[in-house]
Amino acid sequence: MKLLRINMTDGSVKEQSVPAEYQGLGGRALTSAIVAAEVPPTCAPLGPNNKLILAPGLLGGTSAACSGRLSAGGKSPLTGTIKESNAGGTAAQHLSRLEIAAIVVEGQPTNSALQVLHITSRGAELVPADKLKRKGNYKTVETLFAQHGQKCSIISIGQGGEMKLATATIAVTDPENRPTRHCGRGGLGAVMGSKGLKAVVIDAAGGKRPASADAQAFSAAAKTFAEELKKNAVTATTLPTYGTNALTNVINQAGALPTRNFTSGYFEGAEKISGETQRQTIIERDGLPRHACHPGCVIECSRIYNTKKKEYLTKGPEYETVWAHGADCGISSLDDIAQMDRLEDDIGVDTIEIGATLAVAMEAGVAKFGDGKAAIRMVKEIGRGTPLGRILGCGAEVTGKVFGVWRVPTVKGQSMPAYDPRAVQGMGVTYATSTMGADHTIGYSIAPNILKIGGDLDPLKTEGQVEASRNLQVATAMLDSAGLCLFVAFAVLDSPKAFGAIRDMLNARYGWKLSDDDVLAIGGKTLVKERAFNKAAGFGPADDRLPEFCYTEPLPPHNTVFKVTDQELDQLFKPLEEKYSS
Ligand code: SF4
C-alpha cells in the first residue's frame, strides 16, 4: 500500500510506501494519525500548513458488506478541531484497488487556478481545471465523466468549497455517477478549495481487489457478517424499507425532534415529512425506495427521490436533512426539503449545518418559520455567494452572531443534529464530548436510549449515559477506521457474532491476531490521539459543554433540561487516556 502526496505549492505528485508509524491504520485512524503527526494544531485551517487526507478504510475494496466508506481528515475550518468526516460512494473501493492507503494534499498554490488530480493504475497527475470554476458538483462530475469515462469515480467540491465556506462538503459519486454522497461535516470541502483542488478522478481499470492473507477465512467471516446484517431488524427491515427517515416519527414521538430552532421536541407536521410518507411519494413517482450507495452494501438505506414529473431530483433525502430543513425550520413539504437537498449537494454544503443555520436565521426574522420557498431562496443565495449567502454558508454560529440570536445550537462551532439533548441525555453527552464538535455519528446514543439496542437507558435520566457514550464513541471510531458504514453498528451492538466477524475479517485480511480488545483499541487510540490534537489546539473542558439554553430552557413536551454535570462530562475520556496514551 502507498500514500500519494500531492503538493499544491509546487504541483508535485509523489508516491511513498506507507511509513512505519502509519502501517496497520486505515480510514479515520489513518486520517487522524496523519493530521496529529503532520498538521500543527494551531495552524490556520485554510492556510498552507493544514493538510487534507482522503483514505479508504482497512476493509476498503474487499467483499466485506458496507465497507466502502471514504474518510476525509484535516483541521476543520468550522470547529478548529481535528476532523474526520466520511461518505459512501465508489471512490474508496477504487482507491483500495489501486493500493492507495491515503491521498495527502498539502501546501497551497499562490494563484487561484484550479486543478484536478487524475489517478490511474499508471500513476497520478495534476491537470488544470479552470473551466470547472464556479461549477456545481453535478456539472463538474458530468464534465469529468465525459472526459475520463463513466467507470471512474469522482471526489469533488462545488461552489461552497471554492468559496471556502465553513460548511463546505466533499462530494463522492455514487454507482449512478451522481455526486450524492458527502463528507458533510466540518467544512473539509473548504480545505480542499483552499488547496485549489476541484476534484479527484479515480480510474481503477487495471487495479484489483486487495488480496487477503487468508482468503478462505476472509470469505467465511465476510459471509457471517453479511448474514448478521440480514438478520437484524433495523438493518434487514427498517432501513431498507424507510431509509434513515424511519426516525422522524420515532424521534417525534419520543419528544426529541428539535423543532423551530430547538424550541420544542415535537413537530405537528412530522407525519407529512416522515419516512412512511416519503416511501409512498417515492413509489408513486417511480423513484427508488431502496438503493445502495456503493456496491456491496446489503442494507441499502439510500433512496432516489423524483419530482412530480417523475424525473430524478436527488437522493434520499436522509433523516438528518429532512429534520434540519423540515421540523427545525417548521417546514412540512417534502418537495421543498428535497429541492434544498439537491441544491446543497450541488453547491457542496452540509445539509445538517445549513438546515440548522436557516432555522437560526428564521429565529432572527430573516424569513418566517414554515416558509419553504423563502428557505429555498436563501439556499440559492449560498450558491451565488451573495453577502447573505456567505454568512449562511459559514454556519449557525456565524449566522447567530451576525443576526444577534443567542439560541444557537452548536458545540465547538458545529450544529447539533436531529436529536434534542434535553430529551435524550445520552446524545447531549456525545455532542458535548465529541472530538469533532456536535455530531450524532460519533457515538449514537439513540441506540440504547430510544431504540433499545445495545442497552436500555432512560433517555430523560443521566444514569449510565457517560459510560454508554464512551463505549459508543470507541466502537464508532473503530468502524470508521475499518471503512464500515455506521449502520452496521445496529447489528454489531446486538450480536457478538457480527462483532466477531469484523475481528475475523481484519485478521484474515492482514494476517493479524487481534483479540476483541485489540479491535476496540483501534477506536480508543484514535480518540485519544484526536483529543490530544484538540488540547494542543487550545481546547479544554469549557469547550466540552452544550450551549447555555440546553441547561436553562426546558424543552416541551417533557419540559426537561440537560442534567449531566460538568464533572461527569470531564470523566468521559479519563479511562481511555489512561489506557491508550502512549
Ligand atoms: S446502509 Fe446506507 S449509507 Fe450505509 S453503505 Fe448502505 S446505502 Fe450507504
Side-chain angles (χ1 to χ4, degrees):
M1 298 291 281
K2 61 199 172 204
L3 297 188
L4 274 188
R5 287 201 183 260
I6 317 302
N7 188 313
M8 302 305 292
T9 307
D10 61 16
S12 63
V13 175
K14 289 186 183 137
E15 277 186 20
Q16 171 192 25
S17 300
V18 175
E21 64 268 33
Y22 302 146
Q23 277 175 18
L25 303 176
R28 176 172 163 190
L30 181 55
T31 65
S32 287
I34 296 175
V35 174
E38 300 185 16
V39 173
T42 54
C43 77
L46 299 179
N49 292 321
N50 198 5
K51 299 194 181 191
L52 175 71
I53 297 103
L54 302 167
L58 286 166
L59 296 173
T62 70
S63 61
C66 305
S67 62
R69 304 297 289 189
L70 177 78
S71 287
K75 178 172 173 173
S76 162
L78 186 74
T79 64
T81 64
I82 198 165
K83 176 62 69 175
E84 185 267 358
S85 186
N86 61 66
T90 56
Q93 292 175 327
H94 286 171
L95 286 174
S96 294
R97 278 179 204 165
L98 294 174
E99 299 183 7
I100 295 170
I103 302 169
V104 183
V105 186
E106 41 202 18
Q108 197 157 59
T110 48
N111 57 30
S112 61
L114 286 178
Q115 309 277 331
V116 165
L117 177 65
H118 185 215
I119 305 173
T120 69
S121 57
R122 298 175 301 282
E125 60 172 350
L126 285 169
V127 287
D130 274 347
K131 63 175 189 285
L132 295 174
K133 259 191 186 169
R134 286 301 177 114
K135 296 281 185 285
N137 280 311
Y138 274 85
K139 188 70 194 168
T140 296
V141 304
E142 183 193 314
T143 308
L144 291 171
F145 278 123
Q147 204 176 329
H148 297 286
Q150 301 295 325
K151 290 192 175 156
C152 300
S153 55
I154 296 175
I155 302 165
S156 65
I157 56 170
Q159 298 95 336
E162 284 189 54
M163 285 188 271
K164 293 170 249 177
L165 300 177
T167 64
T169 62
I170 296 173
V172 183
T173 48
D174 63 17
E176 289 75 34
N177 292 349
R178 291 166 175 152
T180 58
R181 316 312 301 188
H182 288 245
C183 299
R185 308 235 63 195
L188 291 175
V191 178
M192 190 158 154
S194 76
K195 308 282 181 208
L197 185 62
K198 179 70 177 172
V200 180
V201 177
I202 307 151
D203 179 351
K208 54 184 186 313
R209 179 165 273 181
S212 286
D214 184 339
Q216 217 176 348
F218 187 90
S219 64
K223 188 163 171 259
T224 303
F225 187 57
E227 281 166 2
E228 289 300 306
L229 294 177
K230 286 180 193 162
K231 264 193 231 161
N232 177 272
V234 176
T235 51
T237 306
T238 311
L239 284 169
T241 308
Y242 300 112
T244 50
N245 199 15
L247 284 162
T248 289
N249 277 334
V250 174
I251 303 301
N252 200 39
Q253 276 151 24
L257 190 69
T259 297
R260 295 186 189 84
N261 195 29
F262 286 75
T263 54
S264 174
Y266 182 81
F267 181 44
E268 68 289 347
E271 190 57 48
K272 289 186 186 158
I273 58 171
S274 67
E276 291 80 349
T277 306
Q278 187 174 6
R279 176 178 168 82
Q280 202 184 333
T281 309
I282 286 172
I283 290 170
E284 281 166 11
R285 296 178 183 181
D286 298 344
L288 270 184
R290 186 172 176 172
H291 173 258
C293 78
H294 67 260
C297 166
V298 298
I299 303 173
E300 301 184 342
C301 81
S302 173
R303 285 140 291 146
I304 301 296
Y305 190 96
N306 286 347
T307 63
K308 284 180 184 153
K309 291 184 180 161
K310 302 190 173 180
E311 287 162 354
Y312 170 81
L313 177 61
T314 190
K315 54 79 173 74
E318 304 297 341
Y319 165 64
E320 301 289 335
T321 309
V322 169
W323 157 75
H325 300 79
D328 202 36
C329 292
I331 293 169
S332 55
S333 160
L334 263 183
D335 281 333
D336 287 347
I337 293 166
Q339 201 180 332
M340 287 188 268
D341 183 73
R342 166 62 186 255
L343 283 166
E344 290 165 25
D345 276 2
D346 195 36
I347 298 163
V349 282
D350 176 16
T351 58
I352 295 177
E353 191 70 36
I354 295 301
T357 301
L358 295 177
V360 168
M362 286 174 168
E363 176 151 337
V366 179
K368 288 200 171 78
F369 280 113
D371 188 342
K373 302 298 175 256
I376 291 167
R377 282 198 297 277
M378 286 198 279
V379 174
K380 286 182 176 168
E381 293 217 32
I382 299 173
R384 290 204 306 276
T386 66
L388 174 63
R390 281 181 180 262
I391 292 166
L392 298 171
C394 282
E397 193 145 302
V398 167
T399 299
K401 277 185 185 151
V402 170
F403 289 102
V405 176
W406 80 280
R407 189 186 301 97
V408 178
T410 55
V411 178
K412 300 185 183 79
Q414 181 165 282
S415 289
M416 297 193 289
Y419 317 88
D420 199 300
R422 290 164 289 183
V424 191
Q425 302 280 318
M427 277 320 289
V429 174
T430 295
Y431 294 162
T433 58
S434 149
T435 51
M436 317 260 169
D439 187 338
H440 62 297
T441 66
I442 289 289
Y444 194 60
S445 299
I446 292 301
N449 277 276
I450 304 290
L451 305 175
K452 307 304 177 192
I453 293 174
D456 183 354
L457 296 174
D458 182 337
L460 301 178
K461 296 211 170 116
T462 61
E463 284 75 26
Q465 301 290 5
V466 168
E467 192 187 359
S469 175
R470 178 194 302 126
N471 292 340
L472 287 162
Q473 291 193 48
V474 169
T476 305
M478 179 274 288
L479 293 175
D480 292 343
S481 305
L484 291 167
C485 171
L486 178 61
F487 298 141
V488 308
F490 294 114
V492 171
L493 291 170
D494 231 16
S495 152
K497 244 175 137 182
F499 180 86
I502 295 174
R503 177 203 58 218
D504 293 347
M505 287 191 291
L506 288 169
N507 284 338
R509 163 82 176 86
Y510 293 100
W512 293 338
K513 291 191 171 58
L514 302 183
S515 65
D516 289 356
D517 275 355
D518 295 334
V519 172
L520 288 173
I522 297 171
K525 285 179 186 169
T526 300
L527 284 168
V528 167
K529 216 171 269 174
E530 290 167 352
R531 196 153 160 92
F533 180 94
N534 289 348
K535 272 189 196 164
F539 288 85
D543 299 297
D544 290 346
R545 303 289 181 260
L546 296 186
E548 186 183 339
F549 71 87
C550 293
Y551 298 92
T552 58
E553 280 192 350
L555 178 79
H558 293 296
N559 295 315
T560 44
V561 294
F562 183 67
K563 290 174 290 197
V564 181
T565 65
D566 294 352
Q567 291 73 17
E568 287 173 295
L569 293 176
D570 294 343
Q571 288 306 310
L572 189 138
F573 277 101
K574 291 245 156 70
L576 300 180
E577 285 166 342
E578 277 162 24
K579 191 167 177 185
Y580 296 120
S581 292
S582 45

